[in-house]
Amino acid sequence: MNVEELEGRLTELASEAVAHLAEVADRENAIQVKNRYLGRKGSVQELMAVLRELPHEDRRRAGQASNRCKEAIEEAFRERLDDLARQELEERMVAEALDVTLPGRRSTLSLGHPLRQVERDLIGIFAEMGYEVAEGPEIEEDYYNFEALNFPPDHPARDMQDTFLLTDGRLLRTHTSPVQVRTMHAYEPPIRIISPGRVYRCDSDLTHSPVFHQIEGLLVDRGITLAHLKGTLTTFAERFFGAGTAIRLRPSYFPFTEPSAEVDVECFFCGGDGCRVCSQTGWLEILGAGMVDPNVFEAAGIDPDVYSGFAFGLGVERIAMLKQGINDIRRFFENDLRFLDQF
Ligand code: DAH
């Protein structure tokens, strides 16, 4: 074989290899084909064995022809790998495509149980006024629930509380007021607390549940008067029911406050004109309040000649029912999502 023939054979080999590479379907096959031509025992190397037979002056030319052939094959190999990678990517993009025009699934973001929402709002308003949250036990001693709150044994006011008594002499607390006493035992004035929690009474109808929720407030300091109580409750009513909401205090009786009052807010449905919700009175009763009775201070170890204070207590269910127009208290406790999802 002379050098011209060798050049011809190398060109043929190159185009044969290029054609081969164009047909391979994956990377492994491309490598195999490339090695078949360019490997140590590949076709190009095999062909170049004739180099030894060529005259010296032709060897350089033969070597250049061999390099051109190898480069052509290498280039075809690289291009094929690029093509295969591109192809694979395109296939994956098609296979993994997301249709972003499909409408999304609606996620349900819960704001919590309607009672918790009201409780959270109420606590938030008093927290802004500097009140701290205090808690007490639901299984309570007679002392904290009644005696220290100035309900003497056999006092008729105990009757109003429909108490669940436990066999060990303790009871399920009938109100959050015992937290007043526990707090005054534990801390020196000035005291400013708000106490949310569950309370229990043996009572059940459209507006009464054997378990319900109250929020208690207590403020004790030097020089506290009924005016402070009224100002505080007015601020609360305006924040919770809307600016300009008036309140009124009606004389009442609680053993642990003197004087005591029932507190009404101007009906937020009719603005005070009179409607079905407020039974045409223009007012809604929302809480009980009063000045802490000196007997309660004495039981709690606070000197009533130095300190005075006010307390108030409200029912969370009642406020939630008024605000949301709910007429059956049992709705809160049935866990019916058709009801709960409306809030
Ligand atoms: N504890 C009373 C009840 O459950 C509500 C109450 C009235 C709380 C007057 C108070 C208050 O702190 O001053 O009926």
Side-chain angles (χ1 to χ4, degrees), residues 30-60:
I31 293 169
Q32 274 175 19
V33 170
K34 185 185 87 158
N35 287 341
R36 210 178 306 148
Y37 289 93
L38 299 184
R40 257 191 319 121
K41 291 178 181 164
S43 318
V44 176
Q45 206 56 34
E46 211 172 276
L47 188 58
M48 290 308 285
V50 300
L51 205 63
R52 268 173 285 136
E53 297 158 21
L54 290 182
H56 257 291
E57 60 274 23
D58 288 340
R59 289 194 184 170
R60 187 181 157 85

Side-chain angles (χ1 to χ4, degrees), residues 121-133 194:
D121 291 349
L122 291 168
I123 292 174
I125 289 168
F126 285 101
E128 273 186 26
M129 291 194 255
Y131 286 70
E132 281 181 57
V133 172
I194 192 93

Side-chain angles (χ1 to χ4, degrees), residues 161 174-175 177 180 201 214 216-217 254 256-257 288-290 311-313:
Q161 302 245 345
T174 59
H175 50 180
S177 303
Q180 289 187 34
R201 288 187 200 184
Q214 286 188 339
E216 190 83 11
F254 299 103
F256 38 91
T257 44
F312 55 89

